[in-house]
Each structure stands twice: as structure tokens, then as C-alpha cells.
Amino acid sequence: MREKILFNSGWQFYYGEAGPIHKTVKKSGGLGGLTSVLPGERGEAVKLGPAGKFFLSMIPAPAGEENALLEMLLGSDLKVSLKGWRAVDLPHDWKTELEYTPEKSVFMAGAKENGVGYYRRVFSLAREDEGKHIAVEFNGVCRSASVWFNGCFLGDHYSGYTSFGFDLTDLVNYGDEGDNVLLVRADTTTGDEGWWYEGAGIYRDVYLVKTDTLHVDTWGTYIHLDKLVKGSARMIAETTLVNRGRKTRSARLDTVFSDDQGNKAGSAAVPFTIEPLGSLTLIQEISLPEPRLWSPETPVLYTALSSVVENGVTVDQYETSFGVRTAAYTAEGLLLNGKPIPLKGTCIHQDFAGIGTALPADIQEYKIRKLLEMGSNAYRSAHHPADPALLDICDRLGMLVIDENRLLESSELRLGDLRDMVKRDRNHPSVVLWSLCNEEMIGGSPQAARMLQRLVGELRRLDTTRPVMSAELLPPGGELNPEYFNIFDILGLNYPESPLMGNNLDKVKAAYPEASYLNSETASYFSTRGAYADDWERCQNNNFGSRFSMMAPGKDIPNAFGAGGTARPEQALGFYAANPYSGGVFIWTGFDYRGEPSPFLWPAISSQFGIMDTCGFPKDYYYYYKAHWTTRPMVHVMPHWTWPGREGELMRLRVFSNCEEAEIVENGRSAGRKTCGSDWTEWELPYTPGVLEAVAYRDGKEVAREIHKTAGAPAALVLAPEGWAEPRLRAGGTAVVSASVLDGSGNAVPTADNSVTFEVTGNGRLLGLGNGDPADHSADAYPVRRLFAGKAAAIIQAGTGKDRLVLKAASPGLAGAALEITVR
Ligand code: GAL
């Protein structure tokens, strides 16, 4: 029966060229060296059949120097040792371990040098595994991965974003034949795929998959809705079966649907025969009575269990999680299950504080939950195919996804990447739109139109249930090449709301009134968490709006002031409100990310477009979006109320609320109650230390209140689990813990910048630290971190055991803190 084994632990890692390791070889299976077992590891370095022994016998060698002979015959790969190698667990992004560099060529990519890294995994497989099909699956390696197994070169995979795998079956050493060695080389010097930080290494999960030689192929199911008829869903299950064995096999495919309670919801069975090394795709129609439709509010998942049954014995079982829903796109925007659903989206890159791109699923979930709490319902995986672990979370939590192909090229290589994305992701109900590219320089050209035809044709062979779009920058005049744009179902336009872009959507809309539009990327608003003044030296942008600009430095463009990158949040949401046919918004970006630190130069190392910082700590405009996207009463006032030395100075206060009225109360005195503006409501008050309160009203009754108290000198550290009700983690689970500082009266100090030393004891480890400062050069995994604007984040991981772990924080002059976490 199928076994899918998470293969993330027990790897060896080497940074740099561990070589010489070749891809070509004179005699089969003879690469040896690091690609095979080494002295001390069980088994022979190179497998020798009779011919090998014959060759060796021709070269006289003193006993014990057989390797020297092999070297003469096979090359220098045998001269290796594991000096400099160390143990790592996956996921792993080696760039988090490097120092930041001012080198211009990597400035946009997060200021880390490019390089080469090797991962090696030695493992044994039991004799009983012989006869099974054995494969390795990589969810993602950055980048230009080369893979060897037991002395053989298996192949290269260039994309750092698509998943891939290899069949290992024939090459495996079973039982006493010896150990097995999997070697992966990743190389980021081959060129970037993006203009942002992309990480380096095996940064997503790896699996070893054992199956019968007759089995459901990798990504071999496609479960989709054909039609909703009279209270029942007519589903189509397409299943690709492969027979990697030497005999013709006759069996039956049973596909059984279960609901989320495990109750059987529908089934079909069909007999089949496959010849040796053959494959076959079977199509089954299965009716699912009274389906519960998937939507962000009701993320109901079903499971399809595909069983291969031969002579009454189940030889393979493959599980597919799916949802029942329709997704169409019209001039009203996205229609999910026939109902328009305005997209409250953000664009997201992959990285996170402390861990780079190596995000355990729990951290992916943390990010998604933060976005959902803000009221966001859509996620654009910019600009790459998403991590499959992320899509599982979006399915489960009800987040809509635009899954994005990396490049608009139709070479066999790039077509392969597109196919891989679509085959892997087409069962996810969360994936509602495919995007084929972002802002390609050749977009709209005749060549692009031809390539696009090819890509869309390929995509349509694999999935017809989702609209296809791209994310385009239009020339200021809004000129379109219909040959190109007509191929898409949706015209995705980036920044149509920006005055800097010449408001070109009006012109396009006038020329193509029937087309469907989506604001695929919007805002790009700079802000630094906790900053209320621009500061070029410290690379900080005022949350009220920055005077620094990326697009038009020094130019006087009406309304562009304060836009930072391209437009203000108010312009983005305002544009959609005025043009509701444009589907919604995808704010650039949900979180700050490494790289692209525009408008700053070194020492800035991360972007500031995020609604939240790199740790997921909200900036003030988080509450702007929350006010627009949620209905539960909320109020937020910016800035904080701790301004020593600025007593009497007039302070500008901005309140975000989704209520009818808001009031500012300062030290018990009302500064006036106002009807809430559509974007925000402002007050001006002279600063007096004490208590600042923002109160929100509906129907004249208080429904929400936020309090800022002037803080005194820092006195004590506090640790708080972010996003969990109780400090409890499952074995192997990962979590974010925030550190902050209180004054002697227990008030949070919003400006604290104390340096804090973190330590994990017991059953767990510290994966990394962050603070959201866009110019902090501390090493991710170094246990000391300065608080930035009062906060830092520790990313901790529980061990596999069941004991507790304790996270401790200490800082000179402050009372320390300890958080005990139960591991279950
Ligand atoms: C967009 C681009 C994004 C990012 C952003 C910054 O044009 O698609 O990847 O670079 O600009 O404002």
C-alpha cells in the first residue's frame, strides 16, 4: 500500500562547491563520491558487476587501494570527505545564514550573495520494499536543482517554484545491498527568476513515496464539477494510472467520495487493464447528492479516495481533497457559485522573518489567518506557483487564490512548468483563477500573443473550470493589442488606480466595454511599522504617507504625494468602489518581504509595501483595510501616545473605524465626536501625556474602544504567543511568539528598542528572529535581536517528543520573561 513519507529530517548540508560531482559518466552507475555511499557508510561506493570486476582486474592494485583504481577508471569523484558538512532539517533556506552584503547586484534580491549548496540524505530501505515503486518528490528547490542517486545522475530542475520528482525504483539498494544516497545541488548563481528575495536551497517539503508498481500517477487525479443538477453535483473524476511493472495488470478503480465527517457521499467503480510500462486515464462520473458548496464562508472539503483493487486486494490508495463550487468571471467580477464576490485581495511573496522562504506549514497558516482577520478573502501568489502546503491551508480556511505561472514563454521547458502547476493544483477549490504572467516586457507583442495561445491551449487541456488572466502594466495611453489581450478571460491590470499610470483603465474600458477586468495589483504604499516621520537615514516611511517616491522622485504629480510606490490605499479602494466592474483589489502587498527595498538604497534590505511587516505585525493601515473589509465594530487610532519631550505640540490623529461615529477622548476630556469619514477621520490635539482613547459608536451606542497610554521607562519583557489562544504546540509544530516591553505600570512601550536575548530550552528550538525593521542586519538565526517599534518575533519549533519547551527572553535592566509551551 502507498506510503508517503515526509523526508525533511536527517539531511547533511554543505555551502559552496562540494564537487567535483559530474553529470556525465564513462561507465553506468559509476559516479560514486558524494552521490554514493562513502567509506564508513554501509555499502559499496560503486556497484560492480562482473564486467566491472573484469576491468579492475586488468589494473594491478595493491590491496586497499581499489578506490584509486576506480578513480583512474571513473574520474575524481571518489576523492571526497564530509568535512564541512553539517546536519540540517528541511525546509531550509541557506540564505538566512549568510550576512547581508551591500553588493549592488543582489540589492533587489534581499542583499545576500548567490551561491551553491548541497544537500545529502543517506537512508536505508528494507528488503521488503523491493518490488515496490519508489519515488522522491520535491515541493520546491531554489534553484537550478541537480539530483543524483546512488551513483547516477537523475536530472535537473530549473524552476525554483514548481514541484518535481524522480523515480528511484531500479537504483535503490534494498536491505543488505547497502545504504542509499540522495544528493541535491542547488545553485542560485544561474540567475534570478524574480526581482525580489527568493531564498536558496530545499525550502519546501520533500517526500519519499512507496507504491505498488501499479498506482495512481503523481498528481494523477482531477476531480471537478461538471454540473449542478437538481440538488446534486455531477462530478467528474479523471484518474491516471500507471503500471511501472513488467506484467500486464487487470484491476478495478474504485473512487469513493466522503464528506468532511467521513460519510460516504458517492462512488463509482470501473475495471481496467494496463500493459507493462503503460498508463491510462479513466473518467468516472459520480453524483454527489446535496453537495455543500465550498466558499470562503463555508470552506467545506470532500475527499476522493481512489483505490486500485486487483483480485480483491487493494494495491494502491490515493487521496484527493476537493471542494464543490463554480468559479466564473464576468463584468460583475468573480462569480463564486453564481454569486458576485468582491475580491479583497493581497499579493504575497513567500518569505517571513527569521526563516527566509523556508516556511513550515504552521507559518503559512499564521500568515493566512492574519490576512483573514483583516477581512481579506483573496491571495495572489505573486509571481509564482504557490507552495502546495499553502494551498491546503487556503482550502481549509476559505481563502481564494490566484495561482500564478512564473513566465510568459512557451518553450518546452516553460510549458512543462505550467503543466506541473496546473496538474498539481487543479483540485484545490481555493484556486479560483490562473494567472499566466506578471508585467512581462514583451506582453502585448505579436510574439507574446503567439506564446500565450500556446500556453492557454496547454492549460485548457488540463483544466477548463477556471478563468485565465494575467497581470499587466499598460502603457500610459492604454493601448492594447487585442490579438494578445483577447486570449485571456480577464484583463488583469496592475495599478489602474494610480495617477502615475495615467488612469488608463478608462481608455481601455471605452475601447472594450464588454471585457472583464480585475485590478490584479494595487497600492504599493510605503510605510514602516511604528514610524510617524520619514527618515532617509534609517530607511523609514511615515504611516501617514511618505514623501519618498519610487515612481516619480521629485516630480509634482497631482495626488501622487504620499503614494510611496504607486498609489495610496485610499486610491486603491476608492478606484474599485468607483469601478465595481473591476473585480476587487489585490493590494501590493500583505506583508513586507525581503528585497525590493524601494525607495531606499543600502542599508535597506526589505520592502515596505506590506500592510503588515515581515513578522506579521500590523502597521496602522492594517486597520484601514479592516475597517473596509469587516463588519464587527472596530476602531484604531494612530499614532501611539508616547512622545517624551513633545508636550504641548499639536499631534495629528487619524482614526480608522467601520462604525458610524468616532470620538477621541484625551485624559478623560472629549476632543469631539465625528461622523466617520469613508477613509478616515482626523483630529488635531496638543500632546499631553496620559490616556488617549478612540471610541466608536453605532446607533449612538459605544461599540468599540482602543486605548493608548503614555508609557514610561521600559521595565519588563513580555512574551505572547501570536495567534494562539493557549501556549500549546503539536510535536514538530512551529509558532510565532512576540516579545515586547512594559513600563513599571504595565503599559506597553511602543518605542522600545531594547536588545533581547532569546533561548529555547526543553523540547524545541529557535528557528529565527525578526523585528520588522527594514534596515536591521542581524542574522536571522542569531539569538539576540533588538526590538523595533516595541516588538520582535521569535519563530520557535517544537521537537518531535511530547515534553514541554520554554522560551526565555532576557535584556539588561529589564525583568526577563519566560513562556512555557506544552507540546502534544
Ligand atoms: C509591480 C510588480 C511587483 C513589485 C511592485 C512594487 O509593478 O508587479 O512585483 O515590483 O511593482 O511596487
Side-chain angles (χ1 to χ4, degrees):
M1 197 65 94
R2 176 179 292 259
E3 274 178 89
K4 188 167 177 178
I5 303 160
L6 186 65
F7 219 48
N8 280 357
S9 60
W11 288 80
Q12 301 161 315
F13 173 70
Y14 185 87
Y15 183 60
E17 274 301 359
I21 298 164
H22 300 117
K23 295 182 182 174
T24 52
V25 64
K26 291 172 228 159
K27 299 284 179 188
S28 4
L31 280 175
L34 292 166
T35 75
S36 201
V37 283
L38 296 175
E41 292 170 333
R42 212 158 50 90
E44 293 163 53
V46 171
K47 295 278 162 191
L48 293 178
K53 295 200 174 99
F54 170 75
F55 279 123
L56 289 188
S57 70
M58 298 192 340
I59 313 169
E65 286 184 29
E66 292 80 5
N67 272 357
L69 293 176
L70 281 172
E71 195 184 320
M72 285 168 68
L73 192 66
L74 298 174
S76 54
D77 291 0
L78 291 162
K79 265 202 215 146
V80 288
S81 79
L82 291 175
K83 196 159 164 253
W85 287 72
R86 63 191 171 82
V88 294
D89 286 334
L90 307 179
H92 179 240
D93 171 2
W94 81 63
K95 280 197 175 175
T96 60
E97 295 162 13
L98 306 178
E99 306 232 316
Y100 292 96
T101 162
E103 176 57 47
K104 284 204 184 63
S105 62
V106 291
F107 174 67
M108 287 281 278
K112 298 284 178 108
E113 69 175 15
N114 279 309
V116 171
Y118 285 79
Y119 294 83
R120 191 169 180 272
R121 177 74 157 81
V122 182
F123 61 101
S124 58
L125 284 175
R127 177 59 74 188
E128 298 83 77
D129 286 327
E130 194 177 357
K132 291 181 190 162
H133 181 258
I134 314 280
V136 62
E137 289 180 4
F138 296 92
N139 276 356
V141 179
C142 182
R143 109 172 16 83
S144 298
S146 304
V147 183
W148 293 261
F149 183 63
N150 288 349
C152 293
F153 173 58
L154 299 182
D156 292 320
H157 186 82
Y158 297 105
S159 164
Y161 295 104
T162 51
S163 305
F164 60 101
F166 295 100
D167 177 356
L168 307 178
T169 313
D170 299 334
L171 302 169
V172 167
N173 292 316
Y174 296 97
D176 56 10
E177 288 170 8
D179 278 346
N180 297 284
V181 177
L182 188 62
L183 180 75
V184 179
R185 177 182 186 272
D187 186 351
T188 66
T189 67
T190 54
D192 300 330
E193 286 173 89
W195 47 95
W196 56 90
Y197 176 84
E198 302 188 281
I202 310 185
Y203 74 99
R204 292 182 184 166
D205 293 337
V206 180
Y207 290 93
L208 190 75
V209 185
K210 303 180 193 174
T211 56
D212 191 281
T213 49
L214 174 64
H215 59 264
V216 177
D217 202 3
T218 311
W219 313 325
T221 58
Y222 176 35
I223 317 281
H224 56 102
L225 175 68
D226 178 37
K227 230 185 196 160
L228 285 167
V229 254
K230 287 194 206 120
S232 162
R234 191 160 77 204
M235 304 295 297
I236 305 294
E238 279 184 47
T239 310
T240 302
L241 297 147
V242 287
N243 176 9
R244 294 272 172 257
R246 288 186 280 270
K247 284 193 243 138
T248 296
R249 306 274 293 265
S250 292
R252 194 181 71 229
L253 171 70
D254 287 351
T255 302
V256 177
F257 291 169
S258 311
D259 66 17
D260 53 357
Q261 304 302 312
N263 303 314
K264 187 169 166 179
S267 67
V270 57
F272 67 91
T273 298
I274 318 190
E275 71 271 24
L277 303 180
S279 79
L280 187 71
T281 298
L282 298 173
I283 298 184
Q284 294 167 296
E285 195 183 297
I286 302 177
S287 148
L288 212 160
E290 289 164 42
R292 290 162 63 213
L293 301 186
W294 188 96
S295 74
E297 297 77 36
T298 56
V300 180
L301 295 176
Y302 289 85
T303 308
L305 186 66
S306 316
S307 303
V308 179
V309 185
E310 188 184 40
N311 301 324
V313 178
T314 304
V315 297
D316 187 39
Q317 282 195 320
Y318 187 95
E319 236 183 57
T320 310
S321 165
F322 69 96
V324 184
R325 53 128 191 83
T326 60
Y329 203 93
T330 68
E332 286 182 90
L334 179 70
L335 299 185
L336 195 77
N337 301 320
K339 282 193 232 117
I341 177 164
L343 295 170
K344 303 166 186 169
T346 62
C347 303
I348 311 276
H349 279 324
Q350 302 195 90
D351 62 281
F352 194 72
I355 49 177
T357 52
L359 269 66
D362 289 338
I363 302 298
Q364 303 273 29
E365 181 161 341
Y366 167 88
K367 288 175 79 175
I368 296 296
R369 285 189 184 275
K370 286 270 178 181
L371 294 165
L372 290 168
E373 277 163 26
M374 180 173 73
S376 171
N377 63 5
Y379 180 107
R380 176 169 166 228
S381 173
H383 308 291
H384 59 82
D387 181 350
L390 174 94
L391 296 179
D392 288 340
I393 294 162
C394 292
D395 287 351
R396 184 157 52 77
L397 300 182
M399 179 66 97
L400 304 164
V401 177
I402 300 179
D403 207 359
E404 192 156 277
N405 182 52
R406 181 67 215 93
L407 285 175
L408 177 74
E409 286 177 8
S410 64
S411 62
E412 258 318 308
L413 181 72
R414 308 293 187 215
L415 283 169
D417 285 338
L418 176 70
R419 271 194 293 267
D420 288 350
M421 172 178 89
V422 177
K423 283 180 78 175
R424 194 196 65 185
D425 297 345
R426 60 190 170 167
N427 291 313
H428 288 281
S430 59
V431 177
V432 285
L433 302 175
W434 300 118
S435 166
L436 283 184
C437 55
N438 176 72
E439 296 181 357
E440 295 293 5
M441 290 212 253
I442 57 161
S445 70
Q447 187 196 21
R450 288 193 293 272
M451 296 206 285
L452 187 60
Q453 285 282 9
R454 184 67 203 281
L455 286 160
V456 172
E458 199 72 22
L459 189 151
R460 286 282 173 242
R461 283 188 331 110
L462 298 169
D463 182 44
T464 50
T465 69
R466 291 169 177 88
V468 178
M469 58 173 284
S470 64
E472 305 283 342
L473 270 186
L474 291 189
E479 308 88 31
L480 284 186
N481 169 5
E483 303 272 300
Y484 175 77
F485 285 100
N486 284 345
I487 302 170
F488 294 110
D489 300 314
I490 306 167
L491 258 175
L493 296 183
N494 288 359
Y495 305 102
E497 82 281 21
S498 171
L500 297 167
M501 308 298 289
N503 287 118
N504 48 28
L505 184 57
D506 290 351
K507 293 164 196 141
V508 180
K509 178 74 176 156
Y512 299 90
E514 300 304 318
S516 299
Y517 297 91
L518 174 61
N519 303 313
S520 40
E521 202 172 303
T522 49
S524 269
Y525 178 65
F526 300 141
S527 63
T528 314
R529 182 176 60 77
Y532 299 101
D534 292 329
D535 187 330
W536 187 263
E537 295 301 311
R538 292 159 76 199
C539 312
Q540 296 186 3
N541 290 293
N542 187 344
N543 279 275
F544 283 98
S546 174
R547 77 192 139 87
F548 304 133
S549 169
M550 166 175 72
M551 290 287 289
K555 278 196 210 153
D556 183 20
I557 295 182
N559 300 325
F561 178 76
T566 322
R568 299 178 56 88
E570 297 85 355
Q571 289 170 317
L573 296 200
F575 181 84
Y576 171 56
N579 302 282
Y581 64 86
S582 59
V585 294
F586 281 86
I587 303 296
W588 189 269
T589 44
F591 300 89
D592 286 346
Y593 51 93
R594 294 161 192 247
E596 213 176 6
S598 157
F600 302 109
L601 302 170
W602 177 264
I605 46 150
S606 57
S607 81
Q608 302 199 29
F609 301 113
I611 301 172
M612 289 170 262
D613 69 10
T614 50
C615 307
F617 295 142
K619 304 182 191 173
D620 290 297
Y621 263 76
Y622 170 93
Y623 301 96
Y624 168 78
Y625 292 106
K626 192 164 184 171
H628 280 80
W629 290 348
T630 65
T631 52
R632 216 172 127 205
M634 55 73 58
V635 63
H636 173 70
V637 54
M638 63 190 272
H640 57 76
W641 209 234
T642 299
W643 299 100
R646 293 179 62 178
E647 289 75 8
E649 218 176 276
L650 260 196
M651 290 282 168
R652 181 180 183 188
L653 303 180
R654 182 174 291 177
V655 167
F656 301 118
S657 173
N658 53 9
C659 301
E660 288 147 15
E661 292 176 298
E663 182 181 15
I664 286 292
V665 180
E666 183 251 353
N667 289 318
R669 286 181 303 270
S670 173
R673 192 152 145 177
K674 299 187 182 180
T675 302
C676 289
S678 61
D679 288 319
W680 29 257
T681 320
E682 288 202 333
W683 281 258
E684 262 191 343
L685 279 191
Y687 171 62
T688 325
V691 183
L692 180 78
E693 291 170 274
V695 190
Y697 299 89
R698 278 186 187 163
D699 291 331
K701 284 197 217 81
E702 177 184 336
V703 283
R705 180 181 290 250
E706 191 184 65
I707 305 175
H708 294 326
K709 288 188 184 164
T710 306
L717 283 164
V718 266
L719 292 172
E722 284 284 304
W724 355 312
E726 284 173 69
R728 195 187 294 151
L729 264 178
R730 65 180 167 72
T734 312
V736 179
V737 177
S738 69
S740 50
V741 163
L742 303 181
D743 69 5
S745 317
N747 302 317
V749 186
T751 50
D753 59 359
N754 306 68
S755 181
V756 182
T757 303
F758 294 85
E759 188 195 8
V760 171
T761 55
N763 178 28
R765 62 182 179 134
L766 187 63
L767 289 186
L769 298 170
N771 61 10
D773 180 347
D776 187 323
H777 293 180
S778 321
D780 289 289
Y782 185 63
V784 182
R785 188 56 73 117
R786 200 171 37 75
L787 300 186
F788 176 69
K791 275 175 167 260
I795 296 91
I796 55 164
Q797 187 167 53
T800 46
K802 296 271 185 247
D803 301 342
R804 58 183 201 132
L805 71 88
V806 180
L807 173 68
K808 287 190 195 140
S811 182
L814 300 183
L819 182 73
E820 189 177 314
I821 295 161
T822 313
V823 183
R824 297 207 305 206

